[in-house]
């Protein structure tokens, strides 16, 4: 089956697929009774191209030393040759008989063979190129493996001289490969690992040098050896990761919190696709290690692990993992025998048969595990607090529904997360957070008891569920607030403990308390680093950041900090033991720099994950608390406390400056940038610059020298208040106006116009918009006034989102607003009568018709489910004045149509009319015509281009650099996936009806040689591609909506994000 992991393969396969699609359409038209045209000239052109391709292929084989290429490429060349001959025979037969059924059969099989054979040929060659890069990577690994034998400076010089060229070559090769890949995630993985290797190389050389100098000095080199071995391991791990990524050919655009069953079934499908290749490799004693079959076998084991990780039954999980481990051990033994040329020995043949048997058992185990997991109905709670809250609120919306305990489990996990965060909070916040956790837990217990007693649908249970939903929402917000305060406290200063450790490491030998001081500083540094990493992880889990990439980067960088921290302490210990060792000092400096780079990156990611305005507010509140502590210290005449808390104030103000600078650098709105920079300049002036001392700190020093000096106290208070005002100004500059309510509730009546009698009479209002006057009516009998509906609050509505738009926020045909007439109380409205029926207002412009026509997906319709997920994301917004939403909705409908055309059954009544397509006899049944399938895929690809064009246009007008980057990253994947969809649809079109016998002129039937396994594989690839495309478009919609709140005012660009009309506007 075609793969598209490189730009070269995609560029070659796309025109081939276009030509094949034309032949497929001609074939289908002939089935309707039309005569086939003369194909002699185009077929001859294809034949010449194939002959040239085959010649180049065999020349490549003859000149290559890659044994796997020599084994994999000839079958692909044979298939292309055979396919071209089939096309030639079909052309000759059709010239003699334009209605020939056998000729049509040869035509379709030849078309399929050309496309798949070319794909296999390109894949074999590409894998050969990858193996060349991997060989270079393994050369670097071989040099790293001999690091331990470098024990002299002369050895180190030789080592560096030999390592440098091969490392340089690897860097160039991997860098070139990265630019060739189509999957952005794979590119980012390679870039990140390659950057790590580049950064680690000088540190490794420094570590080896330190080891040699310490050993030559006669001291114990244990610490330096451990440090050197750590660096070798880290570099080896990164190179192994590069090798792994180089061999990847597919990527799923699934969400990070994808459903367990979905992930398990994808892995199951992967096992089924790779099993035959793995079995063939086992049965061939001469099969090469590293060939497609060997890779397929290891991919089967990886997919089995994925299934095991998500099993709800521990017995299933343990059984699968044990079997995978056994198979891996047996495969390693088989590879050793084959490397020794004993692949056909009785031992190797017996081992291969046993592995094959265990693979079959493993496949059965995974099938049973998936069935058990699906039957249990148990789902895994979401990885983030926001996701858990959504799962809990889904449960609370219908507490009587059996969700297998997912909602209750998610609720309790949120409570547990809240208590975990409360443990590190100061007392006022801690008390409030624990109170909310306790109240939430009590309500959860009450509701769980009612559900266990069969009263989940009772009024009492629903009342508790509503109350619990509110408490859960409050708890989530309080957790976010607590985390922002925690970030403000922990990240106020990231470098001082490292600076203290560095100072302690160079204290002269013989200084009293030297050892104790170093141990204390080491402990403080490690505790500080661990606390920062833990806080960052909590922000990723519970901070509310919805950017998958940011969250993943926080976890990765936190892990790197955790891994690096003890190595920094070890490097400091080496310096401490030998302060005069210059090599040790240089190595420690490199380790410190690496640690600081990682910590600064972690701080930037955390700042990106939290709201900047809220963070500055938390720092401002911290300054107020430190101000009170300074005042208490002044009253107590405690100079050390005065200096300590005044220093904290200065650090917090510096932190505010950092956040403001990040905001200014991230924006391209000149007005906003000038405003932020001006406020930051004022704060910077109060903090002071390098040449002068900050007025606040200077005043604090004066008070510390003489706490009883009232003049010094007043000077400090004045300078401190000026600094607080400057911080407040920065917060005001950074805070962006959230915009006006998109759906404001009707305005309340003017209380001065109300009278006692009005409380029991009908409201006296007259519409603004009607121009014609209405006749006055006689008084009507007074009737009790119905209770007023609760006033809507945007902060209590989970569907509300403030959005800055550059066009009016209201619907053009929105609800009629009422106001009292001038000059007193308005007249009563006329009574209804038979002769004067008020006209019905015109219906609002909406796309409800499109949404009503979208079908409901079934569990066995994966493409339909992916299309429905995009539809549900897009239907939140009106298509009016929003081309991105309109294009996304169209793509969802087109993909729904594609789901039916690839023989995934569904009744699509009315769908063609929504898309503006003519009715076709294939719609409404199972499957569809090849022409419709190809045309629909082409339409989807065109819509993909349109979504990308619109997203890039919006990105060009976005003033927020990070938002623009996120939008471009998600939208640039769409055209590539759309092109791949066209090619895969063409492959699938050659399969439609391929298993059905073709009637011959003499009344007999011509059996088709195509296997159902090939058709299944084509369907699986098409399904995966469709899911990736819908996911990419869904992420683009989300990124576009976020980016549209910051667009240039003077650009003239307009886009309106209007949520579907809530109940109070109807």
């Amino acid at each position: 089956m075609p793969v598209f992991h490189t730009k070269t393969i995609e560029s070659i396969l796309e025109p081939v697929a276009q030509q094949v699609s034309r032949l497929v359409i001609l074939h289908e038209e002939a089935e309707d009774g039309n005569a086939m045209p003369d194909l002699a000239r185009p077929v001859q052109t294809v034949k010449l191209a194939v002959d040239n391709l085959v010649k180049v292929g065999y020349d490549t084989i003859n000149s290559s030393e890659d044994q796997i290429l020599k084994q994999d490429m000839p079958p692909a060349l044979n298939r292309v040759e055979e396919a071209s001959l089939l096309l030639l025979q079909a052309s000759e037969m059709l010239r003699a008989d334009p209605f020939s059924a056998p000729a049509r059969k040869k035509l379709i099989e030849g078309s399929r063979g050309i496309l798949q054979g070319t794909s296999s040929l390109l894949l074999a060659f590409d894998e050969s190129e990858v193996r060349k890069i991997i060989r270079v990577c393994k050369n670097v690994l071989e040099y790293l493996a001999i690091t331990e034998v470098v024990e002299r400076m002369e050895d180190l010089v030789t080592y560096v001289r030999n390592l440098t060229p091969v490392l340089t070559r690897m860097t160039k090769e991997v860098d070139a490969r990265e630019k060739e890949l189509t999957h952005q995630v794979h590119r980012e993985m390679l870039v990140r690992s390659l950057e790590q290797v580049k950064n680690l190389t000088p540190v490794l050389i420094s570590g080896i040098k330190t080891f040699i100098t310490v050993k030559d000095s006669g001291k114990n080199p244990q610490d330096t050896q451990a440090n050197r071995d750590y660096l070798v391991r880290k570099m080896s791990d990164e190179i192994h990761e590069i090798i792994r990524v180089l061999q990847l050919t597919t990527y799923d655009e699934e969400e990070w919190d994808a459903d367990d069953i979905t992930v398990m079934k994808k892995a199951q499908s992967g096992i089924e696709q790779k099993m035959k290749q793995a079995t063939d490799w086992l049965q061939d004693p001469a099969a090469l290690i590293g060939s497609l079959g060997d890779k397929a076998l290891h991919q089967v084991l990886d997919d089995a692990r994925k299934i095991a990780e998500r099993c709800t039954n521990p017995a299933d999980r343990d059984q699968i993992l044990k079997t995978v481990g056994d198979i891996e051990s047996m495969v390693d033994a088989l590879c050793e025998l084959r490397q020794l040329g004993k692949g056909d020995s009785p031992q190797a043949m017996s081992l291969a048969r046993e592995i094959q048997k265990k693979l079959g058992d493993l496949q059965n185990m995974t099938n049973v595990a998936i069935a058990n997991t699906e039957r249990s109905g148990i789902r895994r709670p979401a990885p983030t607090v926001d996701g858990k809250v959504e799962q809990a609120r889904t449960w609370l919306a219908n507490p009587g529904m059996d969700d297998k305990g997912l909602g209750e489990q998610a609720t309790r996990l949120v409570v547990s997360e809240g208590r975990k965060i409360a443990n590190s909070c100061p007392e006022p916040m801690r008390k409030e957070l624990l109170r909310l956790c306790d109240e939430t837990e009590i309500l959860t217990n009450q509701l769980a008891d009612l559900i266990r007693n069969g009263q989940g649908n009772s009024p009492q249970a629903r009342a508790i569920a509503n109350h619990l939903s509110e408490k859960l929402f409050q708890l989530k917000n309080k957790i976010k607030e607590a985390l922002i305060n925690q970030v403000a406290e922990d990240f106020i200063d990231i470098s001082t403990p490292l600076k203290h450790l560095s100072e302690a490491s160079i204290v002269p030998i013989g200084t009293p308390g030297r050892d104790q001081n170093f141990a204390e500083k080491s402990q403080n540094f490690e505790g500080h680093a661990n606390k920062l990493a833990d806080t960052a992880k909590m922000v990723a889990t519970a901070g509310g950041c919805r950017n998958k990439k940011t969250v993943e980067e926080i976890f990765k960088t936190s892990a790197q900090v955790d891994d690096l921290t003890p190595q920094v302490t070890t490097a400091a210990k080496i310096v401490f033991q030998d302060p005069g060792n210059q090599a040790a000092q240089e190595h420690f400096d490199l380790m410190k720099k690496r640690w600081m780079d990682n910590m600064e990156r972690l701080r930037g990611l955390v700042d990106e994950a939290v709201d900047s305005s809220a963070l500055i507010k938390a720092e401002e509140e911290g300054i107020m608390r430190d101000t009170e502590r300074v005042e208490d210290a002044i009253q107590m005449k405690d100079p050390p406390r005065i200096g300590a808390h005044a220093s904290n104030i200065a650090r917090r103000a510096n932190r505010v400056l950092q956040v403001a600078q990040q905001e200014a650098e991230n924006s391209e709105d000149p007005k906003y940038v000038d405003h932020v920079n001006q406020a930051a300049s004022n704060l910077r002036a109060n903090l002071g610059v390098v040449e002068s001392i900050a007025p606040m700190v200077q005043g604090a020093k004066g008070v510390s020298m003489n706490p009883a000096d009232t003049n010094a106290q007043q000077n400090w208070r004045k300078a401190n208040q000026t600094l607080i005002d400057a911080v407040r100004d920065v917060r005001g500059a950074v805070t962006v106006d959230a915009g006006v309510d998109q759906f404001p509730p009707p305005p309340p009546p003017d209380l001065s116009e109300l009278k006692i009698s009005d409380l029991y009479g009908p409201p006296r209002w007259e519409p603004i918009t009607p121009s014609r006057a209405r006749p006055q009516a006689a008084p009507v009998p007074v009737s009790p006034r119905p209770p007023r509906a609760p006033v809507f609050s945007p902060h209590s509505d989970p569907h509300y989102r403030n959005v800055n738009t550059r066009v009016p926020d209201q619907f053009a045909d929105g609800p009629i607003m009422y106001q009292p007439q001038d000059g007193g109380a308005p007249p009563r409205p006329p009574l209804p009568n038979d002769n004067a029926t008020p006209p019905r207002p015109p219906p609002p412009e909406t796309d409800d018709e499109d949404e009503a026509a979208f079908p409901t997906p079934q569990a066995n319709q994966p493409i339909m489910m992916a299309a429905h997920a995009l539809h549900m994301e897009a239907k939140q917004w009106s298509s009016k004045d929003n081309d991105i939403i309109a294009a996304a909705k169209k793509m969802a409908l087109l993909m729904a149509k594609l789901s039916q055309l690839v023989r995934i059954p569904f009744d699509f009544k009315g769908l063609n009319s929504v898309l503006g397509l003519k009715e076709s006899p294939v719609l409404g049944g199972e499957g569809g015509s090849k022409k419709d399938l190809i045309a629909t895929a082409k339409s989807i690809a065109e819509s993909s281009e349109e979504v990308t064009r619109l997203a890039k246009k919006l990105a060009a007008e976005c003033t927020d650099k990070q938002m623009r980057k996120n939008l471009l990253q998600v939208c640039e994947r769409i055209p590539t996936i759309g092109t791949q969809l066209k090619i895969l649809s063409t492959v699938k079109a050659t399969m439609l009806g391929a298993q059905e016998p073709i009637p011959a002129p003499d009344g007999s039937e011509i059996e088709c040689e195509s296997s159902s396994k090939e058709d299944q594989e084509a369907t699986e690839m098409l399904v995966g591609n469709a899911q990736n495309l819908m996911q990419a478009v869904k992420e683009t919609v989300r990124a576009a909506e976020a980016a549209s709140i910051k667009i240039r005012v003077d650009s003239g660009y307009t886009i309106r994000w209007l949520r579907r009309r809530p109940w109070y506007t109807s």
Side-chain angles (χ1 to χ4, degrees), residues 493-504 517-533 560-573 588 591-596 598-599:
D493 181 15
I494 63 175
S495 61
T496 297
L498 179 59
K499 189 182 300 181
H500 291 165
L501 175 64
S502 181
E503 293 171 354
N517 178 56
F518 180 79
E520 180 184 347
K521 296 301 187 292
S522 298
Q523 185 177 0
N524 290 343
F525 167 70
E526 291 189 353
H528 173 71
N530 293 335
K531 186 176 183 181
L532 291 178
Q560 289 179 359
V561 169
D562 287 336
D563 202 26
L564 191 59
T565 297
Q567 301 303 321
V568 174
T569 305
T570 301
K573 185 178 178 182
F588 182 39
M591 295 294 289
K592 286 193 297 181
K593 182 179 184 303
R594 181 165 173 77
W595 188 90
M596 279 300 301
N598 278 276
M599 185 54 71

Side-chain angles (χ1 to χ4, degrees), residues 97 117-118 157 167 175 267 336 367 463 484 513 529 547 577 640 668 706 726 777 781 795 844 860 928 959 1008 1010 1019:
D97 180 9
T118 304
V157 172
L167 195 58
D175 188 62
E336 289 181 8
N367 293 339
I484 290 175
N547 188 322
Q577 294 171 346
E668 292 182 349
N706 185 5
H795 303 289
N860 62 343
T959 60
C1008 182
S1010 178
T1019 302

Side-chain angles (χ1 to χ4, degrees), residues 260-268 307 310-311 369-370 373:
D260 286 344
I261 297 297
T262 301
V263 175
M264 294 172 81
K265 287 189 173 181
K266 282 186 177 181
Q268 181 188 37
I307 294 174
R310 289 169 169 78
C311 287
I370 293 173
T373 301

Side-chain angles (χ1 to χ4, degrees), residues 694-742:
M696 187 277 300
V697 177
Q698 186 178 17
K701 286 184 177 180
V703 176
S704 298
M705 294 175 64
N706 185 5
D709 187 346
T710 56
N711 289 331
Q713 294 175 13
Q714 292 301 322
N715 291 336
W716 174 81
R717 291 189 180 104
K718 182 179 179 181
N720 188 63
Q721 186 58 47
T722 304
L723 184 143
I724 292 173
D725 293 340
V727 169
R728 189 173 294 117
D729 290 343
V730 171
R731 176 164 63 88
V734 169
T735 303
V736 179
D737 183 12
V740 297
D741 187 356
Q742 185 174 305

Side-chain angles (χ1 to χ4, degrees), residues 28 127 139 254 333 410 421 498 517 639 679 720 775 822 840 921 964 1001:
E28 185 172 56
E127 289 185 336
N139 287 340
E254 62 184 20
I421 294 171
L498 179 59
N517 178 56
N720 188 63
D822 296 334
R840 182 182 298 274
R964 181 171 66 236

Side-chain angles (χ1 to χ4, degrees), residues 643-677:
H645 294 304
S647 297
N648 275 346
I649 293 175
R651 292 191 188 99
R652 292 183 188 279
N654 273 316
R655 186 82 172 94
V656 171
L657 278 177
Q658 291 173 356
V659 177
Q661 183 177 354
Q662 291 171 1
E663 288 294 310
E665 291 175 351
N666 186 53
S667 178
E668 292 182 349
D669 184 347
K671 188 174 181 180
Y672 174 80
V673 171
D674 290 344
H675 194 189
V676 173
N677 284 338

